[in-house]
Structures are given as C-alpha cells and as structure tokens.
Amino acid sequence: NAGVTQTPKFRVLKTGQSMTLLCAQDMNHEYMYWYRQDPGMGLRLIHYSVGEGTTAKGEVPDGYNVSRLKKQNFLLGLESAAPSQTSVYFCASSTPRTGTKEQYFGPGTRLTVT
Amino acid sequence: AQSVSQHNHHVILSEAASLELGCNYSYGGTVNLFWYVQYPGQHLQLLLKYFSGDPLVKGIKGFEAEFIKSKFSFNLRKPSVQWSDTAEYFCAVIATGTASKLTFGTGTRLQVTL
C-alpha cells in the first residue's frame, strides 16, 4: 500500500494564479483532511470530509475550496493564490471503523506564492 | 472549541539527557490524545496515543507519555535522547464527536547535540 500520496511535491505560483492539490489514499478510509503548516503555528485544519460527496470547513478555510468526488481522492483548490497561502500543505486520512482515530499523513506539498 | 498548548518552543539537549515536553489541552469532555513527530524534511508520524485505560502510554523509539486528567496534561518523556531524535514534536487532541478532527499544538523543536 502506498498510504497517502500528494501531488505535486513543490509548486511556485504567482499571485492570482490558481491550482489544485491532489491527495489520494489507498486504505479505503472514510475521513480525509487538509492541513496547512506554518512556522510557529503547528498544523491547522483547512477543510475535511467524512465521506464521498461531503466536505466541511475547518479552522482556516478562507481562500480554499475542496471536492471529494471519489472516496480515495480529496482535492484542495486555490482559486486566486495569495502570498499568505505560502505554506506546506498536508493531507491526512482516517477511518472511524477501527476506533483508533489515528490519522495517516501524506508527504506534504510545499507551495510558494510570489 | 478545544485548544492545545505546548509551552516549550525550542529545546536543546545533549545526547543521553532526559526529555520532557509539556502539553496541555483545554476541553471539558472526553478526548483522545496524540504525539506526532516530524523529522527534518519528512511528514508527520505517530509516536503514541492515548484513548483510555492506563494513563501511562508507551510509544515507539522509547518515548512515553502520561495523561493526567486533573491537570489536562499529556507530557511526553524519554529517559535518554539520541541525536536521531532531533525533530519537531506535536501534541494533538481529538474531542469526541468531531469527525476525528485533530487540533494541534504549535510544536516543539528538539535539537539533540552530540
């Protein structure tokens, strides 16, 4: 199993450009999450999904949109990138079936907005 | 909403020294507690977790943590650190009924010197 994968690994955008980050998991997990990591601030939840076709806002959702059209994929979109969105983005997944609630993280995407 | 505080932002220790990293959370209900580690350039990995039962939990690589409910604390300990423990450590909490959403502390950067 590959676990949780993210593409791309690195990206540089100009202000105002758009892009989509892809997260894929092969563990048949119901729950998926997008976080951003900034120095001194830990990880903050952007959006999450508890199942195919459902999404919900997290702590810092402004400027981002998400979609969960397939159970194994969770897309994070930036419609008009801003320098404040320069960050490392992590995707994670988990399942309520086992009761452990452990989240499995992807390798991250480093995004720079100039 | 729950929150997590990690009071040590940067800790420098010599090899073989003992480690204790503080973590306090604020939430009145039932919680699940986690410590994650992020080695330089890598994604987050689970060190240990507490769900119920024995408040002293043991994780990988010789780490342990003690849940003290009366103090809302979940401190991480290791009797003797190694250079390879140099990493960033994150405490996190899941409040029950929140779709397993993790709330992270801001992290503690541990630097172990030879």
Side-chain angles (χ1 to χ4, degrees), chain B:
Chain B
Q2 64 270 25
S3 65
V4 178
S5 298
Q6 291 182 246
H7 307 294
N8 315 104
H9 298 295
H10 189 193
V11 173
I12 303 174
L13 293 173
S14 300
E15 258 201 337
S18 64
L19 170 72
E20 181 160 3
L21 301 182
C23 172
N24 289 88
Y25 67 93
S26 65
Y27 183 71
T30 303
V31 293
N32 302 125
L33 298 155
F34 303 80
W35 276 98
Y36 280 87
V37 61
Q38 187 178 32
Y39 297 103
Q42 296 189 26
H43 60 94
L44 274 76
Q45 302 172 41
L46 183 67
L47 263 183
L48 48 80
K49 57 183 183 276
Y50 172 80
F51 282 85
S52 63
D54 189 345
L56 183 63
V57 293
K58 295 191 184 300
I60 60 171
K61 304 186 180 186
F63 286 91
E64 64 179 33
E66 185 175 12
F67 171 51
I68 303 180
K69 189 174 181 180
S70 61
K71 295 184 178 181
F72 296 89
S73 70
F74 190 55
N75 292 355
L76 181 71
R77 299 195 292 250
K78 186 172 184 179
S80 176
V81 295
Q82 299 174 308
W83 180 79
S84 58
D85 293 326
T86 294
E88 190 150 19
Y89 294 80
F90 294 94
C91 182
V93 61
I94 290 176
T96 48
T98 62
S100 299
K101 291 183 292 179
L102 278 168
T103 298
F104 283 88
T106 53
T108 297
R109 185 175 299 278
L110 172 65
Q111 184 179 347
V112 180
T113 60
L114 295 172

Side-chain angles (χ1 to χ4, degrees), chain A residues 33 37 48 100-103 106, chain B residues 32 36 38 43 51 99-100:
Chain A
Y33 313 84
Q37 183 182 25
Y48 66 101
T100 66
K101 302 185 182 181
E102 177 180 347
Q103 289 189 17
Chain B
N32 302 125
Y36 280 87
Q38 187 178 32
H43 60 94
F51 282 85
S100 299

Side-chain angles (χ1 to χ4, degrees), chain A residues 63-90:
Chain A
Y64 305 94
N65 56 74
V66 288
S67 64
R68 183 103 180 264
L69 299 179
K70 293 182 179 180
K71 186 177 184 179
Q72 63 268 34
N73 295 339
F74 195 29
L75 278 64
L76 178 71
L78 286 72
E79 288 187 350
S80 179
S84 61
Q85 294 177 304
T86 293
S87 188
V88 181
Y89 292 86
F90 288 98

